[in-house]
Amino acid sequence: MDTGVTPRHPLLDEALAHGGPIIVFDGVWLAFDEKVILRNVSFTLKTGHTKIFLGASGAGKSTILRLALGLLKPDAGKIFVNGEQIDRMNEDELMSVRADLGMVFQEGALFDSFTVGENVGYKLYEETRLPLEEVRQRVEEVLGFVGLGEHIDKMPSELSGGQRRRVAIARAMAAKPGLLLYDEPTTGLDPMTSLTVDAEIIKLRDLENVTSVLVTHQLRDAFYVATHAASPRSGGGIEIEAAAEAKLQQADFVMLRDARIVFEGSADELRQSRDQYLKAFLS
């Protein structure tokens, strides 16, 4: 595979200088045998911003997440997470980087034999030395954040599909990561239930300053997350409303096609694109 000479991504130095939760792909290539999955892919995700990856099935969207987690190694190029070049790390070194990452898997991927609370607190129970009462307090806090506090002692089978996805989000945020990765979080859900999951993604980004990577083929959800913002109500509670211009500029869409990035920009730029493939994809 001829990767050629890849120019350095223009935002790489700036991004690494921030030192906060951030992802940088710099000229990344990945192939399985003769099939090229990613071809010279470069992008930068800034702290508190959102990247939304779109593309047809098999375009490499979920592969981006696996690379960011260090579950795959690129054939060429560099990958930085929180300022650390993870493509050179071994598994032990990657564990320290992953400590600041949360992952929301397709279908939620909850443990059926654990209660909701045990699912949410799993990482804290297994990987920290926090006293059990502190773990329980954190579990109650994050379940309250996603509106499921009263379900802490139920089994996943007792919840609806949308509730299980929100539990998965609570589990991902329990250890207070600075960066959350969402892999098709609304797949299989009806539109109204999907909106409840979208709202949690927005709340985490805007109220907890969580940097987000969202992989989805659901255009409705992608645009909703990109064009709405969360803010506290003066009388209590949280309001989801249309985002101001400054917030709109913090969410970028990335379209993958034939192993390459063919578009990167805001919701408005995507809607207004004259590219025939993008127009067909959005129609």
Side-chain angles (χ1 to χ4, degrees):
M1 180 174 62
D2 178 17
T3 61
V5 177
T6 304
R8 194 177 181 87
H9 193 281
L11 290 178
L12 180 57
D13 290 328
E14 177 189 352
L16 295 179
H18 291 174
I22 199 161
I23 295 178
V24 177
F25 276 47
D26 187 25
V28 170
W29 290 70
L30 179 69
F32 298 138
D33 297 324
E34 298 300 315
K35 181 176 177 57
V36 178
I37 307 300
L38 296 176
R39 188 188 305 270
N40 197 23
V41 167
S42 295
F43 67 87
T44 296
L45 174 60
K46 292 184 177 182
T47 303
H49 289 212
T50 302
K51 287 282 187 190
I52 301 171
F53 285 86
L54 302 174
S57 178
K61 305 185 299 297
S62 294
T63 301
I64 295 284
L65 301 183
R66 290 195 287 271
L67 285 164
L69 284 166
L71 300 177
L72 294 174
K73 300 288 188 184
D75 296 317
K78 300 174 182 178
I79 300 174
F80 296 84
V81 176
N82 283 339
E84 302 285 347
Q85 188 173 345
I86 66 167
D87 54 277
R88 294 180 175 179
M89 290 183 169
N90 60 36
E91 189 64 22
D92 288 340
E93 292 169 331
L94 283 167
M95 291 302 292
S96 63
V97 176
R98 291 174 186 154
D100 195 43
L101 274 67
M103 178 75 190
V104 179
F105 298 94
Q106 293 186 31
E107 308 297 335
L110 300 179
F111 297 113
D112 292 337
S113 59
F114 288 5
T115 66
V116 167
E118 290 167 342
N119 267 282
V120 171
Y122 181 79
K123 185 173 184 177
L124 299 179
Y125 287 124
E126 294 295 318
E127 299 180 15
T128 74
R129 297 181 180 179
L130 288 174
L132 294 181
E133 60 270 19
E134 288 188 25
V135 174
R136 176 76 177 195
Q137 183 179 3
R138 176 59 181 166
V139 169
E140 292 173 348
E141 179 184 352
V142 295
L143 281 173
F145 186 86
V146 300
L148 295 174
E150 69 274 20
H151 299 292
I152 189 169
D153 293 318
K154 290 184 179 179
M155 303 302 291
S157 60
E158 300 178 78
L159 305 182
S160 68
Q163 288 172 331
R164 288 194 294 271
R165 301 296 173 87
R166 286 153 63 196
V167 170
I169 291 174
R171 179 178 63 184
M173 66 179 284
K176 299 183 179 181
L179 198 155
L180 276 179
L181 311 177
Y182 302 91
D183 191 6
E184 301 281 5
T186 60
T187 294
L189 300 179
D190 64 79
M192 291 305 297
T193 303
S194 294
L195 282 178
T196 67
V197 176
D198 298 337
E200 301 306 330
I201 297 172
I202 293 168
K203 285 162 55 181
L204 281 169
R205 179 195 66 203
D206 297 344
L207 304 180
E208 301 292 324
N209 197 36
V210 171
T211 306
S212 309
V213 178
L214 172 62
V215 164
T216 185
H217 66 276
Q218 302 285 351
L219 292 175
R220 176 196 62 247
D221 299 315
F223 277 101
Y224 189 85
V225 170
T227 60
H228 287 75
S231 59
R233 289 197 185 103
S234 57
I238 297 169
E239 184 173 7
I240 306 290
E241 57 189 354
E245 182 62 27
K247 178 60 69 176
L248 291 173
Q249 296 305 314
Q250 294 179 7
D252 279 338
F253 287 84
V254 179
M255 175 68 75
L256 293 169
R257 182 190 183 194
D258 297 333
R260 298 180 183 272
I261 292 178
V262 296
F263 172 86
E264 184 173 9
S266 69
D268 282 345
E269 290 169 334
L270 181 57
R271 289 193 186 103
Q272 295 168 11
S273 173
R274 296 183 179 181
D275 182 273
Q276 292 304 308
Y277 176 79
L278 296 180
K279 290 172 69 173
F281 189 90
L282 295 177
S283 64

